[in-house]
Amino acid sequence: MLMSASSEFVVLCREQMMLLAQGLGASLSVVYLTQELVEAPANEAKLVPVVVYPETAVGRQGLNALALPNFNQKLLTAAQEISTSSREFDTADPTASNSQQELLSGDQIFLPLIYEDVMMGLLVTAREDRAWNQQERSQIERIAQTLTIACILDQRRTWLEVQLHQQQILQEKQQDLLDNLLHQFRNPLTALRTFGKLLIKRLRAGDANTEVAESIVRESDRLQELLQKFDEVIDLSAEDLAPLKLPEKNEVFVEATIEKDNKPVLLLPGTGEKKIECHLTDVLQPLLVSAQAIAHERNLELITNIPFNLPLVSINPKALTEVLSNLIDNALKYTPAGGKILIQVGQEKDNLQGVAITDTGPGIPPQDIEHLGERHYRGVQAKTEIPGTGLGLAIAKQLVEQMQGKIEVFSPALTSTISSPQAPGTTFIVWVPVVSG
């Protein structure tokens, strides 16, 4: 299907038809473009008028009132099968009104705009006072050739703009996938580095495994540096990047946008897997082992309150692991040395069971809480030296919603057991569905 004509192409057509009128005395000229019919059989098409000159010739009847010859063949056909002589076309549709017939009265010429055996459109011109001579016909054919070249260039330009638009959207989706992968990579890397350091401390002097443990820490540090470089790339703003432009004389920038209701597919843990019934401790316990080691290294106190005989929940284990890992990692990251982190399980409401993660960090300002869950939003944390990309909560929110759960945020923290006015802290509660009775 041909793409819509640009305003520049319409202006060019009008200028060429002014030449026909002023130089050759044409009383009426019309340019049609071929528009394929989606519901029609293959290769069938109709002609759509795009420019008429002079515009006053049409009057109230509009462009669609112009009578066209009856081709008695498919429009999109080989060039040699289409004659350019007006005498070889059938007369206009006999059902057309007299006023329609009069619009193109006089000596008429119909010149198909053909490129590589494909009919792009049609130039129709008429003169009432005298017939066209051979020299005039040759001039009109050159004008038709000019319009054909202009049409194909216009179509190519539009095609390039569409391709650039689609490419930019694809790049945005790929960027989201890369952001998620890098963020998911960060937590296990931190745990691996911590375990390597603990292993070194526990090995006796001269132990043959010391070199292996030191290699683990060294390579973890190297990965951490590479990850920081990736974070710097992710944080580049639009002003840091040169806009993509078409390689043409008149460069055109096409902004790529993604519809809000057409969310990009994100590479998230557990995507496509079915939910299962299990206890929250099955997911939480392995995370606590890693969190305890990190808390010990950072001089933090990790407190847990997990009762027995908890009801079963319906969850995606991989997805919930990612959610809790992100929230626990944030609590460890934003709590200063000497602080406390409290993890509680067992809260219930509205047939949901909650996991509450409370820290004694600086808290979250009210103006930032309403933006939590937006990708790359960090608020006041962006002004600190604590590294981050603003993706953890966005990923967690989407994963919990996929499980028909929700996340609540409270700052200052809900509990006064560990928090204080000097360290108001924050409480995140992850709510997931309880298995019904």
Side-chain angles (χ1 to χ4, degrees), residues 277-287 312 315 321:
E277 298 178 2
C278 66
H279 291 96
L280 281 175
T281 51
D282 296 336
V283 174
L284 192 57
Q285 200 61 46
L287 298 177
L312 293 172
I315 59 170
T321 296

Side-chain angles (χ1 to χ4, degrees), residues 419-436:
S419 62
S420 66
Q422 293 74 29
T426 304
T427 298
F428 284 88
I429 304 181
V430 178
W431 297 98
V432 292
V434 175
V435 176
S436 56

Side-chain angles (χ1 to χ4, degrees), residues 27-28 67-69 84-92 100-111 123-128 130-132 137 140:
S27 57
L28 177 65
L68 280 176
T84 60
S85 171
S86 62
R87 298 184 180 87
E88 293 181 19
F89 284 111
D90 291 343
T91 58
Q100 291 174 331
Q101 297 280 2
E102 291 172 0
L103 285 172
L104 288 175
S105 61
D107 196 69
Q108 306 171 13
I109 294 181
F110 302 87
L111 291 174
L123 169 63
V124 180
T125 187
R127 185 168 64 183
E128 298 179 354
R130 62 190 184 279
W132 305 101
R137 288 178 178 272
I140 297 173

Side-chain angles (χ1 to χ4, degrees), residues 387-420:
T389 59
L391 287 171
L393 293 179
I395 294 174
K397 182 175 181 291
Q398 185 171 351
L399 289 173
V400 170
E401 289 175 352
Q402 289 177 1
M403 293 183 285
Q404 288 73 52
K406 62 181 180 179
I407 297 179
E408 290 183 325
V409 187
F410 303 92
S411 188
L414 289 180
T415 177
S416 60
T417 304
I418 60 174
S419 62
S420 66

Side-chain angles (χ1 to χ4, degrees), residues 16-17 19-26 109 111 123 125 127 130 132-147:
Q16 294 297 308
M17 288 190 289
L19 293 177
L20 284 174
Q22 298 173 5
L24 300 179
I109 294 181
L111 291 174
L123 169 63
T125 187
R127 185 168 64 183
R130 62 190 184 279
W132 305 101
N133 58 41
Q134 187 58 44
Q135 181 179 359
E136 291 171 334
R137 288 178 178 272
S138 298
Q139 293 179 9
I140 297 173
E141 289 177 359
R142 287 196 292 270
I143 289 177
Q145 292 174 357
T146 299
L147 295 178

Side-chain angles (χ1 to χ4, degrees), residues 62-101:
L63 293 178
N64 290 327
L66 296 176
L68 280 176
N70 184 4
F71 290 91
N72 285 330
Q73 57 181 303
K74 298 175 181 179
L75 293 177
L76 295 182
T77 185
Q80 54 265 36
E81 295 178 4
I82 300 180
S83 172
T84 60
S85 171
S86 62
R87 298 184 180 87
E88 293 181 19
F89 284 111
D90 291 343
T91 58
D93 188 345
T95 62
S97 64
N98 291 333
S99 60
Q100 291 174 331
Q101 297 280 2

Side-chain angles (χ1 to χ4, degrees), residues 22-33:
Q22 298 173 5
L24 300 179
S27 57
L28 177 65
S29 300
V30 187
V31 173
Y32 297 83
L33 289 184

